[in-house]
Amino acid sequence: MKEINLSEEQRKIIECDGNIVVVADPGSGKTTTMSYKIKKILLENTFKGVIAISYTNKASDELKSRVKNLVEDIKLSYFGTIDKFYISEIIMPFAKDIINKHNKYEVIKMEDLSLLEKGEQEQLEYSINKLNEGKIVLNIIGKLGNYIFDNSKRCQNYLKARYSHIIIDEFQDCNLEQFNIFNKIVNLGIYGIGVGDPNQSIFRYDKRDSKYLIRLTSIDNFNTFILNKNHRCHQSIINYSLRFLSPKAEIVEENDKRIYGLKVDGNEELLAKKIDQLIENAKRKFKIENNNKIAILVRNNSTANIISKYLKTKNKKYINTILDESSNIVDIILKDILSYIIGNKIYIEQILEKYDNFNNIKNKNKAIIKSILQMQKYNFNTKGKEYIDIVEIKRIIQLILGKKIEDKELTNLKVVLDNDEMFQSLFEIEDDTIPIMSIHKSKGLEFDVVFILDLHKYIIPKMNFLTKDYLDIAECKNVHYVSLTRAKKAIILCWNTIRTNSRGELKQGILSEFVRNDLRILRNENSNF
C-alpha cells in the first residue's frame, strides 16, 4: 500500500495512545485509518499482536491484506470474526478448565431454537453440556465464550500476554455478549478500539444494537473521535443522505444534483425495461466502463427475482449463502476452497498462508493441497460443477486442520453445490454483469451508480399490515441510509405504481414516506417525483 494523504483527524486517531472509540461515517476512510493504526501498534509492540475483529470474513480479509502491505510480520495478530475468535482463542484452548477433559470439537447449530427464548442460565448449561459432548453451539457461542473467559485464569493470562490491543469494527452491530467480552479484555489492561456508525445499525432483529457503540463514547477512559468527511460519495449524495437522517443537518451547497426520482406507471416488468434504458445513459453520463459498477438494490427477494427475469442487460442475483452465514472453521475453509476452484481472485498461496497460522500445515501437506486444488480447478473449468469432488475437498480440509472430519461437517458444502442460486453467488461480479442484491447484502460495498427499489409503503419502513404499526422504524431508517451511501456518483430512486407482493399478487405501489417532500429540492430537476 503506497503512502496516502491522511486527514488531520485520521492522524490524531493513529497517534492517540490508549482506548479509542471512532464514530465513522460511510466513505470516511475508516479501513485505511485502522490499517495505519495497526501498523503503528505492531511496530511499537514487536512482541505482541492485535485482536482485529470484523463483522464478516470478507471485511476481515480486506483489513488483514491492507495491514500486510504495511507491516511485514503480523503472525502474532488475530484477524477474523467474533465467533471465530471465541472458538479459536477462548473456547477450544481453554474449555478444559471448565469441563476438566480434552475433546475434539465440532461447531453445531442449535437444533431446538425454542431454547433461545429461555433464560441465560439455561442456555449456558445447555452450552456446557454440549461442550462435554465435544460440540460448540454456534447460536449462543457468546455466552459460552464469556463464561470460559470469566472462569479460566489461563485464558486471561494468555490473552494479556499475546495481545496489546483489541479492535472491533462495525461496533454498531455488537450484541451484549460481544460488548461484554470487549470490556473484559480491556479490563485486563489490553487497549480497546471500537469503530462504527450508529446510522448503519441494521441487525437489531438479531439483538445487535448501536447503543453499545454509543455507550463507549460515554466511558471516561475512552477517547472519542469523529470521522465525518465522506471521501466516497458525490457531494449531492452526502447532502441527501444527511438531510434524510436529519432535516436540519448542515450541508454544502451543490448545484450538480445526482439523486434522481424515477416513477414508472406500472409493475416491476415495466420498471426493468426502464432500468435497461437508463443503464447505458448512466454509463455515458458518469463515465462508467463496466456494468458491475452499477447495482440494483432491493428490500425483498421477490423483487430481485422479477427484476432479474425481465432485465435484458446481463445480470445476476447475489444472495447470502449458508457458507457466508457460518463461523464454523470448516465452512470458512470451504468458501476459500470453492472461491479458488471457480476462479475468483484468490491464490493457493493465500489459502495456505491464511490457515498455516491456524495449524502450522506441514510442507509435504502443502504440496498435496496445492496439487488437489489445481486438479479440482481444472475439472471444474473443463467438466463443470458436477466434477467438484467432495471426497478430495474433505481431504484438503483434513490436511489443513491436521485431524479427521466427519462427512456431516460437509453438509453445507453439499447444500451450496445443489443450490444453483447459492453457488452462483460465490462468483465475483463479472465486469459485464449488473449485480442485484438486498440492501443488507450490499453493506460494506460501493458502486458508481445505484438503483434503489422497493420504495413502497409497508415495505420500507416495514409496517404491520393489520395494525398499521411500524415494526422498527429506526432500523428501517438505517437500512435506507445504507442504500443511499453505497453510491459514489449517482442514485436512482425507483417507484413503480403497481407492486407485486411475495405471494405474486398485484398491489398499489404507494410511495414510501422515506422519499419525503422536503427532500425533493435535493433531487435532480429531471426527476419525475
Side-chain angles (χ1 to χ4, degrees), residues 33 50 65 84-85 99 125 161 186 244 246 253 261 278 348 371 378 380 428 431 442 464 479 483-484:
T33 306
V50 300
S65 175
K84 185 181 170 188
F85 175 73
I99 61 174
E125 289 173 0
V186 169
F244 167 70
S246 174
E253 190 67 30
L278 292 178
I348 292 177
S371 176
Y378 174 81
F380 172 72
E428 292 173 345
D431 288 350
S442 75
N464 185 307
V479 169
S483 70
L484 294 172

PDB file of all heavy atoms in Angstrom, residues 33 50 65 84-85 99 125 161 186 244 246 253 261 278 348 371 378 380 428 431 442 464 479 483-484:
ATOM      1  N   THR A  33      -7.678   4.129   7.977  1.00  0.00           N
ATOM      2  CA  THR A  33      -7.241   4.626   9.286  1.00  0.00           C
ATOM      3  C   THR A  33      -6.846   3.477  10.198  1.00  0.00           C
ATOM      4  O   THR A  33      -5.797   3.521  10.859  1.00  0.00           O
ATOM      5  CB  THR A  33      -8.369   5.449   9.948  1.00  0.00           C
ATOM      6  OG1 THR A  33      -8.804   6.473   9.051  1.00  0.00           O
ATOM      7  CG2 THR A  33      -7.881   6.090  11.241  1.00  0.00           C
ATOM      8  N   VAL A  50      -2.304  -7.858  17.696  1.00  0.00           N
ATOM      9  CA  VAL A  50      -3.591  -7.215  17.935  1.00  0.00           C
ATOM     10  C   VAL A  50      -4.709  -8.218  17.658  1.00  0.00           C
ATOM     11  O   VAL A  50      -4.550  -9.142  16.862  1.00  0.00           O
ATOM     12  CB  VAL A  50      -3.798  -5.966  17.044  1.00  0.00           C
ATOM     13  CG1 VAL A  50      -2.722  -4.936  17.317  1.00  0.00           C
ATOM     14  CG2 VAL A  50      -3.864  -6.335  15.568  1.00  0.00           C
ATOM     15  N   SER A  65      -5.235  -7.896   4.619  1.00  0.00           N
ATOM     16  CA  SER A  65      -4.447  -7.672   3.409  1.00  0.00           C
ATOM     17  C   SER A  65      -3.830  -6.272   3.413  1.00  0.00           C
ATOM     18  O   SER A  65      -2.652  -6.095   3.065  1.00  0.00           O
ATOM     19  CB  SER A  65      -5.348  -7.848   2.176  1.00  0.00           C
ATOM     20  OG  SER A  65      -4.655  -7.536   0.997  1.00  0.00           O
ATOM     21  N   LYS A  84     -15.374 -16.701  15.329  1.00  0.00           N
ATOM     22  CA  LYS A  84     -14.113 -17.432  15.142  1.00  0.00           C
ATOM     23  C   LYS A  84     -13.153 -17.118  16.289  1.00  0.00           C
ATOM     24  O   LYS A  84     -12.395 -17.999  16.738  1.00  0.00           O
ATOM     25  CB  LYS A  84     -13.495 -17.054  13.796  1.00  0.00           C
ATOM     26  CG  LYS A  84     -12.244 -17.854  13.443  1.00  0.00           C
ATOM     27  CD  LYS A  84     -11.693 -17.390  12.113  1.00  0.00           C
ATOM     28  CE  LYS A  84     -10.313 -18.000  11.848  1.00  0.00           C
ATOM     29  NZ  LYS A  84      -9.672 -17.420  10.645  1.00  0.00           N
ATOM     30  N   PHE A  85     -13.183 -15.876  16.782  1.00  0.00           N
ATOM     31  CA  PHE A  85     -12.330 -15.508  17.918  1.00  0.00           C
ATOM     32  C   PHE A  85     -12.719 -16.314  19.159  1.00  0.00           C
ATOM     33  O   PHE A  85     -11.849 -16.842  19.854  1.00  0.00           O
ATOM     34  CB  PHE A  85     -12.456 -14.011  18.203  1.00  0.00           C
ATOM     35  CG  PHE A  85     -11.713 -13.559  19.431  1.00  0.00           C
ATOM     36  CD1 PHE A  85     -10.331 -13.477  19.434  1.00  0.00           C
ATOM     37  CD2 PHE A  85     -12.397 -13.241  20.597  1.00  0.00           C
ATOM     38  CE1 PHE A  85      -9.634 -13.071  20.567  1.00  0.00           C
ATOM     39  CE2 PHE A  85     -11.718 -12.836  21.736  1.00  0.00           C
ATOM     40  CZ  PHE A  85     -10.337 -12.750  21.720  1.00  0.00           C
ATOM     41  N   ILE A  99     -14.556 -28.112  31.755  1.00  0.00           N
ATOM     42  CA  ILE A  99     -15.110 -29.476  31.750  1.00  0.00           C
ATOM     43  C   ILE A  99     -14.091 -30.526  32.196  1.00  0.00           C
ATOM     44  O   ILE A  99     -14.417 -31.715  32.267  1.00  0.00           O
ATOM     45  CB  ILE A  99     -15.662 -29.834  30.354  1.00  0.00           C
ATOM     46  CG1 ILE A  99     -14.552 -29.785  29.296  1.00  0.00           C
ATOM     47  CG2 ILE A  99     -16.799 -28.893  29.979  1.00  0.00           C
ATOM     48  CD1 ILE A  99     -15.000 -30.262  27.920  1.00  0.00           C
ATOM     49  N   GLU A 125     -26.073 -23.609  30.563  1.00  0.00           N
ATOM     50  CA  GLU A 125     -25.990 -25.019  30.966  1.00  0.00           C
ATOM     51  C   GLU A 125     -26.063 -25.937  29.748  1.00  0.00           C
ATOM     52  O   GLU A 125     -25.353 -26.946  29.676  1.00  0.00           O
ATOM     53  CB  GLU A 125     -27.118 -25.338  31.953  1.00  0.00           C
ATOM     54  CG  GLU A 125     -26.918 -24.693  33.327  1.00  0.00           C
ATOM     55  CD  GLU A 125     -28.116 -24.886  34.242  1.00  0.00           C
ATOM     56  OE1 GLU A 125     -29.101 -25.520  33.799  1.00  0.00           O
ATOM     57  OE2 GLU A 125     -28.079 -24.387  35.386  1.00  0.00           O
ATOM     58  N   ALA A 161      -0.906 -11.786  27.607  1.00  0.00           N
ATOM     59  CA  ALA A 161       0.487 -11.979  27.198  1.00  0.00           C
ATOM     60  C   ALA A 161       0.660 -11.844  25.686  1.00  0.00           C
ATOM     61  O   ALA A 161       1.700 -11.379  25.215  1.00  0.00           O
ATOM     62  CB  ALA A 161       0.975 -13.352  27.647  1.00  0.00           C
ATOM     63  N   VAL A 186     -10.482  -5.410  27.761  1.00  0.00           N
ATOM     64  CA  VAL A 186      -9.907  -4.083  28.068  1.00  0.00           C
ATOM     65  C   VAL A 186      -9.526  -3.995  29.543  1.00  0.00           C
ATOM     66  O   VAL A 186      -8.482  -3.432  29.896  1.00  0.00           O
ATOM     67  CB  VAL A 186     -10.907  -2.971  27.683  1.00  0.00           C
ATOM     68  CG1 VAL A 186     -10.451  -1.614  28.229  1.00  0.00           C
ATOM     69  CG2 VAL A 186     -11.077  -2.901  26.169  1.00  0.00           C
ATOM     70  N   PHE A 244     -31.745  13.251   4.909  1.00  0.00           N
ATOM     71  CA  PHE A 244     -32.676  12.152   5.185  1.00  0.00           C
ATOM     72  C   PHE A 244     -32.636  11.802   6.665  1.00  0.00           C
ATOM     73  O   PHE A 244     -33.662  11.594   7.305  1.00  0.00           O
ATOM     74  CB  PHE A 244     -32.334  10.921   4.347  1.00  0.00           C
ATOM     75  CG  PHE A 244     -33.054   9.686   4.803  1.00  0.00           C
ATOM     76  CD1 PHE A 244     -34.422   9.547   4.615  1.00  0.00           C
ATOM     77  CD2 PHE A 244     -32.369   8.667   5.464  1.00  0.00           C
ATOM     78  CE1 PHE A 244     -35.100   8.427   5.070  1.00  0.00           C
ATOM     79  CE2 PHE A 244     -33.028   7.542   5.919  1.00  0.00           C
ATOM     80  CZ  PHE A 244     -34.402   7.414   5.723  1.00  0.00           C
ATOM     81  N   SER A 246     -31.545  13.791   9.133  1.00  0.00           N
ATOM     82  CA  SER A 246     -31.958  14.935   9.941  1.00  0.00           C
ATOM     83  C   SER A 246     -32.292  16.114   9.024  1.00  0.00           C
ATOM     84  O   SER A 246     -31.398  16.634   8.340  1.00  0.00           O
ATOM     85  CB  SER A 246     -30.841  15.346  10.905  1.00  0.00           C
ATOM     86  OG  SER A 246     -31.182  16.533  11.582  1.00  0.00           O
ATOM     87  N   GLU A 253     -23.518  23.428  -0.214  1.00  0.00           N
ATOM     88  CA  GLU A 253     -24.282  23.730  -1.423  1.00  0.00           C
ATOM     89  C   GLU A 253     -23.677  23.017  -2.631  1.00  0.00           C
ATOM     90  O   GLU A 253     -22.466  23.042  -2.851  1.00  0.00           O
ATOM     91  CB  GLU A 253     -24.302  25.242  -1.661  1.00  0.00           C
ATOM     92  CG  GLU A 253     -25.259  25.676  -2.749  1.00  0.00           C
ATOM     93  CD  GLU A 253     -26.713  25.440  -2.385  1.00  0.00           C
ATOM     94  OE1 GLU A 253     -27.048  25.493  -1.185  1.00  0.00           O
ATOM     95  OE2 GLU A 253     -27.515  25.202  -3.307  1.00  0.00           O
ATOM     96  N   GLY A 261     -35.290  10.824  -9.108  1.00  0.00           N
ATOM     97  CA  GLY A 261     -36.511  10.104  -8.790  1.00  0.00           C
ATOM     98  C   GLY A 261     -37.127   9.559 -10.060  1.00  0.00           C
ATOM     99  O   GLY A 261     -37.445  10.324 -10.978  1.00  0.00           O
ATOM    100  N   LEU A 278     -31.849   3.119 -18.899  1.00  0.00           N
ATOM    101  CA  LEU A 278     -31.063   4.073 -18.117  1.00  0.00           C
ATOM    102  C   LEU A 278     -29.638   3.604 -17.856  1.00  0.00           C
ATOM    103  O   LEU A 278     -28.755   4.425 -17.578  1.00  0.00           O
ATOM    104  CB  LEU A 278     -31.763   4.357 -16.785  1.00  0.00           C
ATOM    105  CG  LEU A 278     -33.091   5.125 -16.893  1.00  0.00           C
ATOM    106  CD1 LEU A 278     -33.717   5.292 -15.519  1.00  0.00           C
ATOM    107  CD2 LEU A 278     -32.861   6.487 -17.538  1.00  0.00           C
ATOM    108  N   ILE A 348      -3.648 -19.997  -4.259  1.00  0.00           N
ATOM    109  CA  ILE A 348      -3.341 -21.118  -3.356  1.00  0.00           C
ATOM    110  C   ILE A 348      -2.454 -20.643  -2.214  1.00  0.00           C
ATOM    111  O   ILE A 348      -2.648 -21.020  -1.058  1.00  0.00           O
ATOM    112  CB  ILE A 348      -2.661 -22.273  -4.126  1.00  0.00           C
ATOM    113  CG1 ILE A 348      -3.664 -22.908  -5.103  1.00  0.00           C
ATOM    114  CG2 ILE A 348      -2.129 -23.323  -3.153  1.00  0.00           C
ATOM    115  CD1 ILE A 348      -3.081 -24.009  -5.968  1.00  0.00           C
ATOM    116  N   SER A 371      -1.690 -29.558  -5.183  1.00  0.00           N
ATOM    117  CA  SER A 371      -1.963 -30.462  -6.301  1.00  0.00           C
ATOM    118  C   SER A 371      -3.456 -30.761  -6.429  1.00  0.00           C
ATOM    119  O   SER A 371      -4.021 -30.729  -7.526  1.00  0.00           O
ATOM    120  CB  SER A 371      -1.183 -31.770  -6.105  1.00  0.00           C
ATOM    121  OG  SER A 371      -1.507 -32.697  -7.120  1.00  0.00           O
ATOM    122  N   TYR A 378      -9.143 -27.480 -12.511  1.00  0.00           N
ATOM    123  CA  TYR A 378      -9.123 -27.965 -13.897  1.00  0.00           C
ATOM    124  C   TYR A 378     -10.409 -28.726 -14.213  1.00  0.00           C
ATOM    125  O   TYR A 378     -11.024 -28.521 -15.276  1.00  0.00           O
ATOM    126  CB  TYR A 378      -7.903 -28.863 -14.117  1.00  0.00           C
ATOM    127  CG  TYR A 378      -7.890 -29.520 -15.471  1.00  0.00           C
ATOM    128  CD1 TYR A 378      -7.456 -28.818 -16.601  1.00  0.00           C
ATOM    129  CD2 TYR A 378      -8.315 -30.839 -15.631  1.00  0.00           C
ATOM    130  CE1 TYR A 378      -7.451 -29.428 -17.860  1.00  0.00           C
ATOM    131  CE2 TYR A 378      -8.314 -31.457 -16.880  1.00  0.00           C
ATOM    132  CZ  TYR A 378      -7.893 -30.743 -17.983  1.00  0.00           C
ATOM    133  OH  TYR A 378      -7.892 -31.332 -19.219  1.00  0.00           O
ATOM    134  N   PHE A 380     -13.327 -28.434 -12.799  1.00  0.00           N
ATOM    135  CA  PHE A 380     -14.466 -27.521 -12.859  1.00  0.00           C
ATOM    136  C   PHE A 380     -14.473 -26.751 -14.180  1.00  0.00           C
ATOM    137  O   PHE A 380     -15.521 -26.607 -14.823  1.00  0.00           O
ATOM    138  CB  PHE A 380     -14.420 -26.534 -11.693  1.00  0.00           C
ATOM    139  CG  PHE A 380     -15.441 -25.440 -11.791  1.00  0.00           C
ATOM    140  CD1 PHE A 380     -16.787 -25.712 -11.573  1.00  0.00           C
ATOM    141  CD2 PHE A 380     -15.064 -24.141 -12.127  1.00  0.00           C
ATOM    142  CE1 PHE A 380     -17.742 -24.704 -11.684  1.00  0.00           C
ATOM    143  CE2 PHE A 380     -16.013 -23.138 -12.238  1.00  0.00           C
ATOM    144  CZ  PHE A 380     -17.354 -23.422 -12.015  1.00  0.00           C
ATOM    145  N   GLU A 428     -17.304 -13.884  -8.098  1.00  0.00           N
ATOM    146  CA  GLU A 428     -17.113 -12.441  -8.098  1.00  0.00           C
ATOM    147  C   GLU A 428     -17.940 -11.831  -9.227  1.00  0.00           C
ATOM    148  O   GLU A 428     -18.224 -12.481 -10.229  1.00  0.00           O
ATOM    149  CB  GLU A 428     -15.630 -12.100  -8.270  1.00  0.00           C
ATOM    150  CG  GLU A 428     -14.790 -12.514  -7.065  1.00  0.00           C
ATOM    151  CD  GLU A 428     -13.296 -12.335  -7.281  1.00  0.00           C
ATOM    152  OE1 GLU A 428     -12.902 -12.159  -8.446  1.00  0.00           O
ATOM    153  OE2 GLU A 428     -12.538 -12.384  -6.307  1.00  0.00           O
ATOM    154  N   ASP A 431     -17.357  -8.142 -14.982  1.00  0.00           N
ATOM    155  CA  ASP A 431     -17.353  -6.760 -15.446  1.00  0.00           C
ATOM    156  C   ASP A 431     -18.619  -6.384 -16.213  1.00  0.00           C
ATOM    157  O   ASP A 431     -19.094  -5.254 -16.128  1.00  0.00           O
ATOM    158  CB  ASP A 431     -16.134  -6.503 -16.338  1.00  0.00           C
ATOM    159  CG  ASP A 431     -14.841  -6.464 -15.548  1.00  0.00           C
ATOM    160  OD1 ASP A 431     -14.910  -6.435 -14.301  1.00  0.00           O
ATOM    161  OD2 ASP A 431     -13.759  -6.479 -16.170  1.00  0.00           O
ATOM    162  N   SER A 442     -25.568  -5.611   0.480  1.00  0.00           N
ATOM    163  CA  SER A 442     -24.700  -4.578  -0.095  1.00  0.00           C
ATOM    164  C   SER A 442     -23.874  -3.848   0.940  1.00  0.00           C
ATOM    165  O   SER A 442     -22.966  -3.093   0.589  1.00  0.00           O
ATOM    166  CB  SER A 442     -25.556  -3.552  -0.851  1.00  0.00           C
ATOM    167  OG  SER A 442     -26.246  -2.689   0.046  1.00  0.00           O
ATOM    168  N   ASN A 464     -46.751  -3.387  10.032  1.00  0.00           N
ATOM    169  CA  ASN A 464     -47.713  -4.471  10.227  1.00  0.00           C
ATOM    170  C   ASN A 464     -48.966  -4.133   9.413  1.00  0.00           C
ATOM    171  O   ASN A 464     -49.596  -3.099   9.619  1.00  0.00           O
ATOM    172  CB  ASN A 464     -48.055  -4.608  11.711  1.00  0.00           C
ATOM    173  CG  ASN A 464     -48.963  -5.788  11.991  1.00  0.00           C
ATOM    174  OD1 ASN A 464     -50.019  -5.935  11.381  1.00  0.00           O
ATOM    175  ND2 ASN A 464     -48.548  -6.632  12.932  1.00  0.00           N
ATOM    176  N   VAL A 479     -31.440   1.205   7.336  1.00  0.00           N
ATOM    177  CA  VAL A 479     -31.346   0.396   6.119  1.00  0.00           C
ATOM    178  C   VAL A 479     -31.369   1.298   4.881  1.00  0.00           C
ATOM    179  O   VAL A 479     -30.567   1.138   3.955  1.00  0.00           O
ATOM    180  CB  VAL A 479     -32.496  -0.642   6.064  1.00  0.00           C
ATOM    181  CG1 VAL A 479     -32.567  -1.292   4.680  1.00  0.00           C
ATOM    182  CG2 VAL A 479     -32.298  -1.715   7.128  1.00  0.00           C
ATOM    183  N   SER A 483     -28.438   2.079   1.948  1.00  0.00           N
ATOM    184  CA  SER A 483     -28.618   2.001   0.496  1.00  0.00           C
ATOM    185  C   SER A 483     -28.176   3.296  -0.191  1.00  0.00           C
ATOM    186  O   SER A 483     -27.544   3.261  -1.248  1.00  0.00           O
ATOM    187  CB  SER A 483     -30.075   1.681   0.155  1.00  0.00           C
ATOM    188  OG  SER A 483     -30.940   2.765   0.448  1.00  0.00           O
ATOM    189  N   LEU A 484     -28.487   4.438   0.401  1.00  0.00           N
ATOM    190  CA  LEU A 484     -28.093   5.724  -0.182  1.00  0.00           C
ATOM    191  C   LEU A 484     -26.578   5.879  -0.249  1.00  0.00           C
ATOM    192  O   LEU A 484     -26.034   6.430  -1.212  1.00  0.00           O
ATOM    193  CB  LEU A 484     -28.682   6.878   0.637  1.00  0.00           C
ATOM    194  CG  LEU A 484     -30.208   7.038   0.644  1.00  0.00           C
ATOM    195  CD1 LEU A 484     -30.623   8.098   1.649  1.00  0.00           C
ATOM    196  CD2 LEU A 484     -30.722   7.389  -0.750  1.00  0.00           C
TER     197      LEU A 484
END
